[in-house]
Amino acid sequence: MRVTSILWPIWLTVSLTKAQDILARELHVSDAVEAACAELGESHADLVLLPNTAEYDKEVINVWDKRSNLLPGCIFRPETDTQVATALRIFHANNAQFAVRGGGHLPYPGANSISDGILVVLSGLNKIKVDTKKNLVEVGPGNRWLSVYSALAPHGLYAIGGRLSTIGVAGSSLLGGVNWFLNKYGFTMDTIVSYDVVLGNGTQVVADKRTNSELFWALKGSALNYGVVTKFVIKTYKIPRVTSTMQIFQQAAVPAFIKATCDLVLSEDGSVGAGAVININYNVTTGTATPQVFGLQETTKSPPSRFANYTAIPQVVTRVHNVTTPIDRHAGLAAPKPDVPVRLCVSFGHHTIKPDAKRLTEIYNAWIDAINDVADVPGMRPTFILNLVPRSAATVSKKNGIGNTFGLDNKQPYIWWQLSTSWARPEDDLRVTTWSQSFLESIHAENKALGLATELLYGGDAADYQNPLLTYPKENQERLRHTRDQYDPDFVFTRLNWGGFKLGY
Ligand SMILES: Cc1cc2nc3c(=O)[nH]c(=O)nc-3n(C[C@H](O)[C@H](O)[C@H](O)COP(=O)(O)OP(=O)(O)OC[C@H]3O[C@@H](n4cnc5c(N)ncnc54)[C@H](O)[C@@H]3O)c2cc1C
Ligand SMILES: *[C@@H]1O[C@H](CO)[C@@H](O)[C@H](O)[C@H]1NC(C)=O
Ligand SMILES: *[C@@H]1O[C@H](CO)[C@@H](O)[C@H](O)[C@H]1NC(C)=O
Ligand SMILES: *[C@@H]1O[C@H](CO)[C@@H](O)[C@H](O)[C@H]1NC(C)=O
Ligand SMILES: *[C@@H]1O[C@H](CO)[C@@H](O)[C@H](O)[C@H]1NC(C)=O
């Protein structure tokens, strides 16, 4: 392996070894990035990680998707909002490229990683402060949801965040946030009452309903186009007890399973908090598909009523209902920890469809056929996911006097049908991602022709080639751009940061 030699600031010498061994990539550092790293190092040496140190190597791979193993010029790990502001001022002044990482779950290169740039990792901004009087919680952007749920649990409180509790608070709530009780309380973004933001020139502002209200609205569904959020103030709800259901089916149950899924979203009126993770996993070794629903309902009755149409399906392998607490349920659902030695390449991608069980079953069958073309890829794990977007989820933002950037109407329920595909080796990246894209786009074109599709995409489920922001209603896109021109007139988050989803020029 060859490593490009670079000039380094004298305050730390570098021995070129480990990251390159692990990552098999060359490290290039531009003058602008080198200057910015040096400036950060002068004032905050203890917060800067340089290549070829053990901490740098560990941080580089602390992301969900193995494809995102990119080598930044340096890593900055601030612990206060003032330090984030200093960093932004330095990037702005030096024209230095950078990336920002919250929980690191957005699965594609550049979203939370960067080559030749500064990677800002927010894990040190990890404060959590519960306000039991106002039923609010203040959360630093370095937190994952499990920490928030843990802090709230002793008070019988719960926040409407990630279902897999290891995902980051920052990315999920800025992109939208699909949660268990979306049907009743809305998307996670709808539960944020205030943001502390560092703008592109390092200025710190608060955005809430009264102050910087256009920025407040714009942050609900727009990722990193306005600033780095250093604090979220999030609504909490008194939800001490819930009932979970875990149901795993035989392949023969697929049509009934898809029908039950459409029933669930079509019959939704938002009166009882209930939601689910709804997947069909395919095992390429055995050639079998396994439908499974992990549901949660705001009730102490078991079995939970909203999942009755799944509970009635006879071809079941495992069926467990449990009256429990939200935190106990989440603790059992933590995704594999990022330090698990075997990480996989992961690609997401999805489209939006009306809940039509017949058509979704055809799509499932087409997916099973299509898997033949990639089944030999080492480590191949294809998953078909159905994410529910009930009418009542959109009603929340229609009625709260704030709204959000999605602009969903509350007349038509939808399903985000998603492919989540994992594989072992970066060598197969192009093959798998092109396969997934071809499948999604050809089926979506057919769905459009059938009058079943709409364009709205959700950032948390999107592929790198998709851009949710450009699927929001035209007037929302204009309002987002207008707000960007006001709060980021120098286009810092447009021309110095390219990962995540961008409004563009
Ligand atoms: C296994 C798995 C399960 C998931 N489950 C769910 C789920 O249940 N519900 C759901 O809605 N989504 C889910 N997602 C999608 C998830 O919401 C997104 O991946 C989201 O980006 C995760 O947030 P993060 O902070 O971990 O991500 P990151 O990748 O760190 O951040 C996402 C984007 O936001 C930007 N960003 C990060 N922090 C800040 C900040 N403080 N200020 C401004 N911009 C910032 C980053 O630059 C990046 O572009 C899941 C993803 C995975 C991989
Ligand atoms: C179950 O299915 C029936 C028939 O399709 C439907 O009327 C009912 O609303 C569904 N119930 C739930 C909880 O999804
Ligand atoms: C697929 O099935 C085989 C045989 O039962 C099992 O060993 C393997 O772990 C399964 N793969 C996945 C990804 O679950
Ligand atoms: C059911 O919930 C209890 C209490 O939260 C928990 O201790 C137990 O492990 C759960 N059982 C199952 C099968 O999930
Ligand atoms: C930073 O940008 C904001 C938004 O455009 C502006 O209000 C503020 O005055 C700028 N601050 C400095 C120091 O330039």
Side-chain angles (χ1 to χ4, degrees):
M1 231 163 298
R2 200 175 63 84
V3 165
T4 312
S5 77
I6 43 167
L7 277 175
W8 274 106
I10 46 161
W11 49 270
L12 252 179
T13 47
V14 186
S15 68
L16 295 170
T17 50
K18 217 165 159 216
Q20 283 70 29
D21 293 346
I22 298 170
L23 301 161
R25 284 207 176 93
E26 291 182 7
L27 176 63
H28 298 274
V29 180
S30 59
D31 292 348
V33 170
E34 193 172 324
C37 288
E39 258 188 72
L40 282 170
E42 275 161 28
S43 50
H44 299 99
D46 52 330
L47 303 176
V48 177
L49 309 178
L50 282 186
N52 308 298
T53 60
E55 270 305 289
Y56 172 101
D57 290 357
K58 241 169 89 183
E59 194 61 81
V60 160
I61 61 169
N62 190 17
V63 278
W64 184 255
D65 170 22
K66 193 176 171 185
R67 294 182 296 157
S68 302
N69 288 355
L70 307 183
L71 297 179
C74 68
I75 298 174
F76 183 55
R77 284 201 301 211
E79 291 170 352
T80 67
D81 53 0
T82 330
Q83 290 164 353
V84 175
T86 302
L88 262 301
R89 264 193 298 277
I90 290 173
F91 303 158
H92 184 238
N94 287 286
N95 262 319
Q97 304 280 316
F98 65 95
V100 176
R101 178 180 300 169
H105 269 63
L106 201 58
Y108 62 84
N112 46 34
S113 57
I114 190 165
S115 298
D116 184 12
I118 301 98
L119 173 63
V120 180
V121 174
L122 298 171
S123 54
L125 280 98
N126 56 4
K127 284 199 194 120
I128 299 179
K129 201 171 125 207
V130 184
D131 179 343
T132 51
K133 288 211 179 66
K134 293 186 183 153
N135 284 351
L136 296 173
V137 61
E138 296 182 8
V139 180
N143 285 289
R144 294 166 195 271
W145 282 107
L146 189 60
S147 314
V148 179
Y149 302 145
S150 304
L152 294 173
H155 309 284
L157 294 173
Y158 181 56
I160 308 301
R163 295 167 302 184
L164 289 197
S165 41
T166 46
I167 68 169
V169 170
S172 59
S173 54
L174 287 167
L175 293 170
V178 170
N179 57 76
W180 295 111
F181 301 147
L182 155 90
N183 67 322
K184 181 170 174 185
Y185 303 101
F187 295 94
T188 305
M189 62 185 165
D190 298 321
T191 72
I192 313 284
V193 300
S194 170
Y195 305 82
D196 284 11
V197 191
V198 176
L199 303 177
N201 61 7
T203 295
Q204 293 178 252
V205 299
V206 173
D208 62 22
K209 204 169 170 176
R210 272 164 294 279
T211 321
N212 295 304
S213 56
E214 280 299 288
L215 177 61
F216 180 57
W217 172 82
L219 288 169
K220 296 175 183 294
S222 61
L224 191 52
N225 281 276
Y226 297 92
V228 177
V229 174
T230 53
K231 187 173 86 184
F232 297 86
V233 183
I234 306 174
K235 281 191 197 170
T236 65
Y237 302 90
K238 279 231 156 14
I239 307 181
R241 309 287 286 168
V242 292
T243 301
S244 65
T245 185
M246 179 180 84
Q247 305 194 30
I248 300 173
F249 300 95
Q250 295 161 12
Q251 181 160 352
V254 166
F257 177 85
I258 291 177
K259 172 76 165 56
T261 303
C262 292
D263 288 344
L264 181 59
V265 72
L266 283 164
S267 66
E268 187 57 75
D269 66 6
S271 55
V272 180
V277 173
I278 303 165
N279 288 350
I280 303 178
N281 297 339
Y282 189 79
N283 185 321
V284 294
T285 310
T286 59
T288 50
T290 304
Q292 51 188 43
V293 57
F294 296 95
L296 202 68
Q297 184 168 332
E298 207 181 346
T299 179
T300 51
K301 293 215 176 75
S302 179
S305 58
R306 293 293 303 142
F307 303 94
N309 288 4
Y310 296 103
T311 309
I313 299 173
Q315 302 98 330
V316 74
V317 178
T318 305
R319 179 172 281 144
V320 185
H321 317 293
N322 198 12
V323 182
T324 179
T325 59
I327 185 68
D328 281 352
R329 184 59 191 128
H330 279 291
L333 263 187
K337 294 203 176 55
D339 57 8
V340 164
V342 184
R343 287 162 61 240
L344 293 169
C345 304
V346 187
S347 150
F348 281 6
H350 72 295
H351 271 296
T352 309
I353 188 170
K354 294 176 185 169
D356 183 303
K358 182 170 161 284
R359 178 61 185 157
L360 278 164
T361 305
E362 284 169 13
I363 298 172
Y364 157 80
N365 284 322
W367 173 69
I368 295 285
D369 286 347
I371 290 171
N372 285 328
D373 297 339
V374 287
D376 61 304
V377 169
M380 190 60 180
R381 287 192 199 181
T383 306
F384 186 74
I385 303 177
L386 300 172
N387 276 311
L388 308 185
V389 194
R391 281 177 291 252
S392 53
T395 303
V396 174
S397 58
K398 291 238 170 243
K399 292 203 170 151
N400 66 7
I402 300 161
N404 62 45
T405 58
F406 288 6
L408 271 168
D409 79 49
N410 59 349
K411 309 235 155 43
Q412 171 66 51
Y414 292 108
I415 290 178
W416 284 321
W417 64 279
Q418 179 189 0
L419 302 192
S420 167
T421 314
S422 303
W423 65 101
R425 308 180 315 170
E427 293 89 317
D428 296 311
D429 287 3
L430 182 66
R431 186 173 166 200
V432 180
T433 53
T434 306
W435 170 82
S436 172
Q437 177 172 0
S438 311
F439 184 82
L440 283 159
E441 297 314 316
S442 64
I443 296 282
H444 179 58
E446 289 171 25
N447 292 346
K448 276 203 286 196
L450 292 166
L452 290 174
T454 181
E455 294 302 332
L456 183 82
L457 293 170
Y458 167 48
D461 296 338
D464 40 6
Y465 70 88
Q466 298 183 310
N467 188 337
L469 302 186
L470 305 185
T471 67
Y472 300 168
K474 282 279 171 294
E475 63 272 23
N476 287 8
Q477 291 185 41
E478 267 164 44
R479 196 173 158 193
L480 282 166
R481 284 215 170 75
H482 182 76
T483 308
R484 187 264 314 273
D485 297 349
Q486 213 177 326
Y487 285 94
D488 188 17
D490 298 337
F491 282 46
V492 167
F493 297 100
T494 306
R495 59 187 184 84
L496 297 179
N497 171 269
W498 298 88
F501 304 106
K502 295 295 168 183
L503 280 168
Y505 292 92

